[in-house]
Amino acid sequence: MAFIEVNGIKMHYITNGEGPDIVMVHGLLGNLAVWHFKIGPALRKAGYRITTLDMRGHGYSEIAPSGYTSEALAADLLALLDALDIESAHILGHSYGADVCMHLALLHPDRVKTLLALEPGLPALVEERKKDHWGGWTYWVGRLKEAGFEVPPEKRTDFRYLLKVSLETPKFYGPARGLPRKRGRLLELINNTSLVSDYEVVGSLTLGAVRKIETPTLLVYGENSYFLGSYEFLREALPNCTPVLLPGGEHFGPLEQPEMIIEHILDFVKC
Amino acid sequence: MEYSRGQVEEEVMGLIKNLAQDWDYSKPITSETLLFSELGFESLDAVVFGTAVQKHFEKQMPFAELLAELGKERRDLSISELVDFVRTQLS
């Protein structure tokens, strides 16, 4: 296994292939495996060097008590690029990982050739998503119900509670689908670190700052995603943005339709 | 380099035991042990293990396709089946 010391923690990463660099950042409570089923191998075969990483506290990377804001995680990403001697790269992220990538493009534009942002929520819009009527809550509660967990009404917008209950459901994706999750480390991350509160910290990535990100950006959402509010804002605010709505997908749509994503990415990074 | 089945099994087993040191699995690991339901592999473990195998044998192997197939068919993989897969890739 490959580890590298970044900002005081041991970070796990995998590098594979040869060619221009594409670096991939998973979302909240995910890990690097999400890229390795279709998207990573296809991009490697198309002639790119692929680097995937486990963010601080996730996967095999070390858990630290703090440092989980998208800005701090972008600093980890920058440190990884430095440590691996990657001068600049195409940076691909999903969900919170895409927020991290956007933060890197804002603060270190010289390191980001293109920004490939799948379903960024944008911390600066988190207040919108905290409202009771936000569709994401209904969707999330519905998914839990399908898995046999009834969420009491007073908990239906409780982020920390829903994260924890979600860990009790069997896995939805991958070869271990239907089997229980290993919850220990993820519970530690939710209970004993600043992750849940850091998720809402805007930092430098204010709504105004987004307008200064000139990096060519591929912005992808599923057409049924409950993050479309962020899509509407970003497609208008990002100065150099190519917006894409995937037919039928939800928040995980871009990962569930890898063939489409691969095609869009390969077209975009070539330009 | 040519590998016999016995050699591949020995090396694969060595890689698994190396990774499994940190895991919560106390029973003996045999060629019939199932990776996901018995060893408790998660996707991440499978990816890391696949990467280690490819590095060890210095050969790209279609692990992603293998994992996708398992996911689709909802079936597990024994160490013995994995050894067969690696052996096919090496020949």
Side-chain angles (χ1 to χ4, degrees), chain A:
Chain A
M1 268 187 274
F3 288 93
I4 214 156
E5 176 104 8
V6 300
N7 299 327
I9 61 133
K10 247 172 61 183
M11 179 179 268
H12 174 233
Y13 71 98
I14 293 179
T15 292
N16 204 348
E18 281 169 35
D21 284 291
I22 302 182
V23 179
M24 308 183 184
V25 188
H26 63 81
L28 200 73
L29 301 190
N31 61 54
L32 59 75
V34 72
W35 305 113
H36 282 263
F37 295 103
K38 287 274 175 76
I39 299 175
L43 298 177
R44 175 180 59 74
K45 280 181 201 152
Y48 292 88
R49 180 166 72 158
I50 304 308
T51 300
T52 58
L53 58 108
D54 284 332
M55 290 200 290
R56 164 187 297 255
H58 294 72
Y60 288 180
S61 288
E62 196 176 342
I63 298 182
S66 60
Y68 298 93
T69 65
S70 60
E71 188 156 352
L73 293 170
D76 287 349
L77 179 56
L78 178 72
L80 180 79
L81 296 181
D82 286 344
L84 297 178
D85 276 329
I86 298 176
E87 209 167 293
S88 69
H90 304 285
I91 310 274
L92 167 63
H94 176 250
S95 192
Y96 195 44
D99 294 331
V100 172
C101 297
M102 210 179 295
H103 232 121
L104 184 72
L106 171 71
L107 299 175
H108 301 278
D110 54 317
R111 309 299 292 271
V112 185
K113 275 188 199 145
T114 65
L115 176 60
L116 310 163
L118 314 180
E119 296 269 338
L122 203 60
L125 292 175
V126 78
E127 292 306 322
E128 290 299 310
R129 298 195 296 274
K130 280 179 155 179
K131 294 177 179 160
D132 280 357
H133 58 76
W134 181 54
W137 300 126
T138 311
Y139 173 80
W140 200 349
V141 169
R143 284 296 291 260
L144 289 172
K145 193 171 179 182
E146 279 168 33
F149 291 84
E150 198 72 49
V151 176
E154 71 277 11
K155 295 282 192 196
R156 70 176 288 285
T157 62
D158 184 334
F159 187 47
R160 188 185 293 268
Y161 172 86
L162 293 176
L163 284 176
K164 281 196 212 171
V165 175
S166 299
L167 293 184
E168 311 225 359
T169 62
K171 285 175 221 153
F172 288 134
Y173 301 110
R177 192 157 53 128
L179 292 173
R181 296 166 203 271
K182 280 188 203 157
R183 291 183 301 144
R185 277 176 53 94
L186 291 174
L187 276 178
E188 189 185 340
L189 191 59
I190 295 171
N191 288 332
N192 303 338
T193 76
S194 58
L195 176 84
V196 173
S197 51
D198 281 359
Y199 173 75
E200 300 182 2
V201 175
V202 175
S204 312
L205 194 61
T206 60
L207 296 182
V210 168
R211 299 184 187 277
K212 295 180 193 144
I213 299 176
E214 287 181 12
T215 310
T217 302
L218 180 68
L219 183 70
V220 185
Y221 288 78
E223 74 175 351
N224 298 330
S225 171
Y226 37 93
F227 284 86
L228 287 185
S230 305
Y231 173 73
E232 294 304 335
F233 171 77
L234 287 170
R235 65 177 296 191
E236 183 273 318
L238 285 165
N240 206 349
C241 173
T242 302
V244 172
L245 271 191
L246 295 181
E250 287 160 1
H251 186 54
F252 290 91
L255 302 176
E256 288 166 345
Q257 303 181 71
E259 285 80 8
M260 276 191 186
I261 281 296
I262 291 160
E263 208 173 299
H264 282 296
I265 289 175
L266 286 175
D267 280 349
F268 193 76
V269 295
K270 255 185 267 166
C271 305

Side-chain angles (χ1 to χ4, degrees), chain A residues 1 12 14 16-17 31-33 36-38 41 44-45 54 59-60 171 173-182, chain B residues 19 22-23 36-37 39-48 51 54 60 64-65 67-68 70-72 74-76:
Chain A
M1 268 187 274
H12 174 233
I14 293 179
N16 204 348
N31 61 54
L32 59 75
H36 282 263
F37 295 103
K38 287 274 175 76
R44 175 180 59 74
K45 280 181 201 152
D54 284 332
Y60 288 180
K171 285 175 221 153
Y173 301 110
R177 192 157 53 128
L179 292 173
R181 296 166 203 271
K182 280 188 203 157
Chain B
L19 282 175
D22 301 334
W23 298 341
F36 294 97
S37 51
L39 272 185
F41 259 41
E42 301 226 310
S43 298
L44 178 60
D45 305 310
V47 165
V48 166
T51 304
Q54 293 175 84
Q60 292 281 352
E65 286 82 349
L67 294 177
L70 295 176
K72 211 155 73 190
R74 290 187 172 238
R75 69 181 175 91
D76 210 324

